[in-house]
Amino acid sequence: MKNNSKKLLFSASKDFIFSVLALVIYNGVLQLLIYPGLESRVGADAFGTVLYLISAVSIMGAGFGTAASYSRMVAKKDRTESNGDYNLFLLIVAGISVVVSFVALFVLGNLEALLYVQVLLLMIVTVVRYYADVEWRMTIRFKDYFIFFGMVSIGYVLGLMIYPVTKSWAATLFVGEAFGIIYTFFRGHIFRSPYTRLSDSFKENMKSLWYISASNLLAALILHSDRILLRLVVGGREVTVFYAASLIGKIVAMLTTPLNGVIISYLTNYKIELDRKKFGLISVFLLILTAVGALACTGVSYIFVKIMYPDIFEEATRFFFLANLGQILYFISGSLMVVIMSFSKEKMQLVINSVYGACFCLIVIPMTMAFGINGIAYGLVIISFFRFLLTAFIGIKKLSK
């Protein structure tokens, strides 16, 4: 028994390292090369609009693509599942993307046909790529998971290299997403036939998909609210300023994504039991990690933003701590929520994020309209901390039963 525990711990540690390396490379390329490269080409004001549209795309990917991925992981543990269940869901989401792309551009007052087609195609392929990583997490093949994100990163770099020809930020990102999907097609099975055969648990799987999607959409909307809300209420330059101020926290916090992947993989493949004491210790540890991480990210931000975004450095400095703290709090509470998913119904995640969304509307939106960047900086910290406390409280209460 003891040897099995050691073997499991070693395997989980190795998989976590592969996951971290995958996301470090992916986010490193995206945040250190692709985004600064695009900003230098289009300028700070225009890049704020680009970030707004990228946010619309990312919300769809994180909302629906990640939902399909997590739902299939849960289904593997408790139900039957097949490619057809999720292919049908992705087809429906492609239809939703037609409307979302139109609305995103309509709000900007720019319904240029070519831009609409580019945003739509990028949105669809991004949703599919977010779903694609389930191939590796479902089978606990984190070496392939590492290569998968490596292929996406290579695609981004190639996309940036051909930017002088395409003159399109959307095409730059499209190449990277496509590379990840192509790799999954050749190395995996989720994009292979049978394409339309539904499982016996189709109805249950669809219910799970929409529950998790609704929850993820709420969370993703708030995660990207700084770009969307600031662009609509204040302006494009302010989007770029706050993005740069929160960037290090965002990069570091995204390391929780591989951690979440390993957590859900092992909790759904092995019988790992939790009690109130263990869950409480996990919660306290994550909260301490958040405070330490925010301070460290603030220090690094002074160096990083000065080098990568010198034109807006002075404007961004006063938001470093708050912006980074808000980002890390958000992602850390998400990790706690993934743990809860292993011993509760999927709809519990929707309940937590619904409360989170209501707090956003009641606190962050009015504060942003009244105080601009200052309002959104303080508002996001307040509601992210509340989300963490709510998640911890629900987890302890569930385990007490």
Side-chain angles (χ1 to χ4, degrees), residues 132-193:
D133 71 13
V134 74
E135 176 71 54
W136 323 116
R137 293 189 296 109
M138 186 167 58
T139 53
I140 317 185
R141 294 162 60 190
F142 283 94
K143 184 177 180 180
D144 276 300
Y145 183 86
F146 170 78
I147 299 172
F148 167 76
F149 276 103
M151 294 299 293
V152 175
S153 302
I154 290 171
Y156 284 155
V157 173
L158 290 177
L160 187 62
M161 289 174 64
I162 63 174
Y163 180 87
V165 177
T166 64
K167 302 294 183 183
S168 170
W169 61 268
T172 298
L173 300 178
F174 181 91
V175 176
E177 308 296 355
F179 268 42
I181 294 171
I182 292 169
Y183 178 77
T184 304
F185 175 80
F186 283 106
R187 286 283 296 166
H189 78 279
I190 62 171
F191 295 135
R192 300 292 186 92
S193 62

Side-chain angles (χ1 to χ4, degrees), residues 218-279:
L218 281 171
L221 274 167
I222 297 171
L223 174 63
H224 294 276
S225 61
D226 53 343
R227 305 179 192 180
I228 296 173
L229 192 57
L230 285 174
R231 177 60 182 82
L232 298 178
V233 174
V234 188
R237 186 175 185 84
E238 286 74 13
V239 176
T240 306
V241 169
F242 194 76
Y243 165 76
S246 63
L247 184 54
I248 297 300
K250 197 182 296 287
I251 292 173
V252 171
M254 282 181 179
L255 294 179
T256 62
T257 301
L259 175 62
N260 294 347
V262 173
I263 288 171
I264 196 68
S265 293
Y266 279 83
L267 290 179
T268 55
N269 281 280
Y270 298 95
K271 293 182 178 180
I272 300 175
E273 295 184 3
L274 288 173
D275 54 32
R276 291 176 63 187
K277 182 179 179 180
K278 290 178 182 176
F279 186 81

Side-chain angles (χ1 to χ4, degrees), residues 1-8 271:
M1 185 69 179
K2 190 174 181 181
N3 289 334
N4 288 337
S5 298
K6 287 183 178 180
K7 185 177 180 181
L8 183 63
K271 293 182 178 180

Side-chain angles (χ1 to χ4, degrees), residues 34-67:
I34 305 302
Y35 284 176
L38 291 174
E39 193 266 350
S40 67
R41 287 164 172 77
V42 303
D45 292 343
F47 187 60
T49 300
V50 170
L51 285 173
Y52 162 82
L53 292 172
I54 289 175
S55 291
V57 170
S58 298
I59 287 168
M60 291 294 288
F64 291 111
T66 302

Side-chain angles (χ1 to χ4, degrees), residues 90-108:
L90 293 175
L91 185 62
I92 295 171
V93 174
I96 296 173
S97 298
V98 173
V99 178
V100 174
S101 299
F102 178 85
V103 171
L105 292 172
F106 178 79
V107 171
L108 282 180

